Amino acid sequence: MALDFPVTPNPQPASDERIAEIHSKPGFGVNFTDHMATAQWTKADGWRDGKIEPYAPFQIQPGNAVLHYAQTVFEGMKAYRWADGSIWSFRPDENARRLNRSAARLMLPAVDEADFLRAVDEVVALDARWVPDGEGEKSLYIRPFLFADENYLGVRAAQTVKFAVILSPVEPYFENGVKPVKIYVTADSARAGIGGTGYAKCGGNYAASYLATQEAYDADCDQVLFIEPSSKDRLEELGGMNIMIVENGRIVTPALTGTILDGITRKSVLQVAKDMGIETEERRITPDELYSGLESGQIQEAFSCGTAAVITPVESFRTKDAVYEVPQPAGELTLALRERLVDIQYGRAEDAHGWMHRIV
Ligand code: PLP
Ligand code: COI
């Protein structure tokens, strides 16, 4: 049975002045809107009790399984305000499907795709005031998630689960959008391993990336790039983005091996590149290929990509022992791909693949 999401309006919504203040400097994931969508699943009855209610703390028992065993998955997507005031999401069906792939890996229940899309559309439409205009590539970040919601310490999949969608006005994850970032490369630790949860967007993968991310910060870098640590023979992805290089004019990115996220920005960049007549390759990239390519100039550009990060140019890759500069940070292809993708998202370029979905 389809879920519906009846609305209980927030009795104390933020003032227009407060929202304008937040929009002037949103940061990333700091402020949340007036409402959230939620629904509850039980093993016995399936999904029930869909609603949109004021954004407020959940009641969580200290014995709630998610706090102990991290049975939780999430999505990240954005609502963009076009110049005419309309509000659009980007490939939301892909997020709905990926949430369910992640859920299956973590033994969480699937959310019907139509229910997922309705929850997102209805809560964004209700909080439309919170969608910033597109200046500075601001947007409303949409965070749908599922978590074990059962007061039980036995090690088994929860029999009560919550689905929620919360919203946060944001700017690109890395401040200054196109300013190139420094990447720290590590093979000492993995965020996820072969047979593990790398392809799932689950909380534990992120917690597992923090130690290496701190090493990156300590080395004056902005993000970490993981190398598969058993064979040390392939680049994987960053803590929260996919990685791409421009090698001899081609866009090359690590193949989907099950250990990395099937990024929606990744697959869109590959498509946009093809549309622009640029060759693309999804394959293994060895660390040696990266380092020698940067030194010889065969690799001219590199960038990270993801919903939060959009497309962010890379300036250098650092290891414990060496620094490899990218010959053309924020180079021609990186910026051309970025512009095309962002123009599609903000309604300034033709949406040839029908990726945009109108919410308001
Ligand atoms: N890889 C990781 C680990 C991520 O967290 C993200 C962000 O969602 C991505 C890649 C990029 O995925 P997407 O483009 O679907 O946002
Ligand atoms: C996203 O891009 O949606 C992510 O989840 C990545 C994270 C760095 C916020």
Side-chain angles (χ1 to χ4, degrees), residues 66-117:
V66 73
L67 301 177
H68 304 271
Y69 307 131
Q71 193 195 5
T72 175
V73 299
F74 69 96
E75 268 308 316
M77 48 205 288
K78 283 176 170 173
Y80 305 88
R81 189 182 290 281
W82 288 10
D84 66 1
S86 59
I87 296 171
W88 301 71
S89 58
F90 179 71
R91 309 188 77 175
D93 48 326
E94 292 281 348
N95 295 96
R97 284 197 286 273
R98 189 173 62 189
L99 182 79
N100 286 338
R101 292 199 298 277
S102 303
R105 179 65 182 82
L106 275 279
M107 281 292 291
L108 286 159
V111 179
D112 183 80
E113 212 176 299
D115 291 341
F116 173 98
L117 297 173

Side-chain angles (χ1 to χ4, degrees), residues 126-139:
L126 184 65
D127 280 345
R129 284 183 317 142
W130 286 85
V131 184
D133 64 35
E135 189 221 333
E137 287 160 17
K138 291 173 190 165
S139 61

